[in-house]
Amino acid sequence: MRGIGGGGQRAITSTLPKLIQSLRRECPKPTLTPTAKAATPHLQPQGSFLLPSLTRAFSLYDQINLIDNLPDDQLRFQGYTDTGFTVNGVQYEGSLLCVGSFLMSWAPASISQITPDSLSIFQVVRPVPEILIVGCGRNVQHIDPELRCFIRSTGMKLEAIDSRNAASTYNILNEEGRIVAAALLPYGVLS
């Protein structure tokens, strides 16, 4: 099984705290001439200080921690296979339909089986998600104009991408607190 978001996040979460600890140690105090001290009072150290780039590093670290500490009822895609997905630690086989914090099995097994009828739940769901992310399988597929028209009539925007990136996009938008939906075919689907 492959994880969503790649292995880079794991490397960042293990390396970044060590980097931050090493940077927190008091920096050597620069020796300035009396003239330089008068000209650059903002550069004089007050205990330890952080460069602007380090402040961004702290912000990134805080965001990573925030993402790892999601509410229990919030859906998070953690991995995918050619036949399904792992969501909140549970493996699901087949296609999935996600709306807010609801997850359900979904019948379509190919892009041609995604119809207005298969997405009819969006005629009654309130609040209406601002975006529907369609995971097309391994490759981005053409969405039928009739289906595009139906999705637009519900008030949602449409984003059709491969299923791996669809799951990641869903995670990001959901973590931001946006009202988002996803209709995902397994990654192994080719057409």
Side-chain angles (χ1 to χ4, degrees), residues 23-30 43-50:
L23 294 172
R24 280 187 173 162
R25 293 187 196 116
E26 189 170 333
C27 297
K29 296 183 181 186
L43 292 179
Q44 295 181 31
Q46 311 258 332
S48 65
F49 62 95
L50 294 176

Side-chain angles (χ1 to χ4, degrees), residues 77 85 95-98 106 108 110-116 118-119 122 131-144 147-148 150-152 156-170 173 180-187 189:
F77 284 87
F85 302 90
S95 301
L96 296 177
L97 187 64
C98 310
W106 189 48
S110 69
I111 200 76
S112 63
Q113 294 176 356
I114 301 175
T115 63
S118 71
L119 296 172
F122 294 110
I131 186 168
L132 172 64
I133 304 163
V134 175
C136 302
R138 191 173 303 273
N139 302 306
V140 178
Q141 302 289 321
H142 175 72
I143 302 296
D144 182 68
L147 183 60
R148 282 184 180 279
F150 169 77
I151 293 168
R152 203 173 19 245
M156 293 185 294
K157 295 176 182 154
L158 171 67
E159 181 71 32
I161 51 181
D162 66 273
S163 292
R164 178 187 62 182
N165 286 313
S168 293
T169 302
Y170 179 86
L173 294 175
V180 62
L184 304 172
L185 299 173
Y187 189 68
V189 172

